[in-house]
Amino acid sequence: MLAHVVLGVGGFLMAFPFLWQIIMSLSTNSQVRSVVPTFWPGTLQWHNYVDVFAQLPFLPQLGVSVTITVIRTVAQIVLCTLAGYAFARMRFRGRNLLLGLVLSILLVPSQVYLLSQYQIVQSLGWLNTIPGIVAPGLFSAFGTFLMRTAFLNLPNELEEAARIDGANPWQIFWRVMVPLVRSNMSVLAITTVLFSWNELLWPLVVTTYADLQPLAAGLATLSGSVTVDYPVVMAASLMATAPVLIAFILLQRRVIDGIASSGLK
């Protein structure tokens, strides 16, 4: 009984910020700014959600966010899985040096090469375009390291048995190895979706038109320099969170199984 009480209290404390955000989205701006917190508004302000569409091109930005997230997730699964398999299972000259260069990206903050990325995108004429937003996230050193570790943990006997049966290198990779690392690919997909959906700095740098910005960048523009309509900001944040939250609820078991099997913490 005590364990249930402790877990219930812990669960409520973890969910309280989300519940408080819902309450704020249904309050007036004066109630949000009041010194004494208003834990329940007298009249629910549902028009705050309608005001989001008046102050923000929500649907176009939602489409941009979905497009960017899907392209990056598919690209990272394909490219990082291939790179991870090459570094883990194939022998070629300069492999360790190339792997070290790839992993060294993890040691450098992304802001360091922000200017060089901008210059490349500008020279390609990709400013204010989806390719310009997507390009830096098509490949990641973290994803390569994650998939390399997954392939290293598989026994060599699997490849040897496939070779004896006459399988070529591509058949070994696609039919034998890839099915065994699907849980790790799920983890890579989850992390990529969260990163792409929440990315803020890069879209703000390469886009100046509101209709071409993803939701994360659009939400940042709701905070004015003089006044901030907090209920509308909270409502927009909830609406932006809803697609990822729904996807997590539908795929909850697969998400948990993938993270548990990969050892990611």
Side-chain angles (χ1 to χ4, degrees):
M1 181 64 181
L2 180 60
H4 289 83
V5 173
V6 173
L7 291 175
V9 173
F12 175 77
L13 292 176
M14 294 181 66
F16 181 76
F18 183 71
L19 298 175
W20 184 246
Q21 184 180 12
I22 296 176
I23 295 173
M24 291 180 64
S25 68
L26 296 172
S27 305
T28 63
N29 207 23
S30 59
Q31 290 174 333
V32 173
R33 291 172 173 269
S34 64
V35 177
V36 180
T38 303
F39 292 98
W40 187 255
T43 302
L44 300 181
Q45 308 295 320
W46 294 105
H47 64 84
N48 290 331
Y49 289 87
V50 179
D51 293 341
V52 172
F53 295 94
Q55 300 185 26
L56 197 70
F58 186 85
L59 293 180
Q61 291 182 352
L62 176 63
V64 172
S65 293
V66 172
T67 303
I68 292 171
T69 301
V70 170
I71 294 175
R72 280 185 172 178
T73 302
V74 173
Q76 287 218 20
I77 290 176
V78 174
L79 297 178
C80 294
T81 301
L82 289 171
Y85 179 77
F87 284 126
R89 294 292 182 173
M90 301 179 69
R91 300 292 182 267
F92 53 90
R93 181 176 298 179
R95 184 188 65 169
N96 293 332
L97 176 60
L98 185 58
L99 177 61
L101 293 175
V102 172
L103 296 182
S104 65
I105 300 175
L106 297 174
L107 304 177
V108 182
S110 59
Q111 293 81 2
V112 172
Y113 41 83
L114 184 66
L115 180 59
S116 59
Q117 287 179 342
Y118 179 84
Q119 291 175 338
I120 294 173
V121 170
Q122 185 183 35
S123 63
L124 293 173
W126 286 356
L127 294 180
N128 291 305
T129 63
I130 289 181
I133 304 175
V134 170
L138 294 177
F139 177 82
S140 71
F142 167 78
T144 302
F145 176 76
L146 176 67
M147 298 311 300
R148 174 181 177 272
T149 304
F151 285 117
L152 282 175
N153 292 331
L154 299 179
N156 295 326
E157 290 76 10
L158 294 173
E159 287 182 301
E160 294 174 358
R163 290 193 186 97
I164 293 175
D165 290 338
N168 57 42
W170 173 254
Q171 290 174 327
I172 294 174
F173 168 75
W174 182 249
R175 296 184 179 181
V176 179
M177 309 301 282
V178 168
L180 297 175
V181 296
R182 286 179 178 174
S183 59
N184 301 84
M185 294 169 67
S186 298
V187 174
L188 177 59
I190 294 164
T191 55
T192 305
V193 167
L194 293 177
F195 171 79
S196 298
W197 196 266
N198 297 322
E199 188 181 23
L200 174 62
L201 180 59
W202 177 248
L204 285 176
V205 170
V206 296
T207 58
T208 55
Y209 302 110
D211 291 345
L212 299 175
Q213 292 178 337
L215 280 174
L219 292 177
T221 62
L222 288 177
S223 300
S225 59
V226 180
T227 60
V228 180
D229 194 344
Y230 291 104
V232 174
V233 173
M234 292 297 103
S237 300
L238 284 172
M239 294 168 62
T241 307
V244 178
L245 183 61
I246 294 173
F248 175 79
I249 294 174
L250 295 177
L251 304 174
Q252 183 176 8
R253 181 174 296 276
R254 188 174 184 86
V255 170
I256 295 174
D257 292 344
I259 294 177
S261 63
S262 68
L264 185 65
K265 298 183 179 179

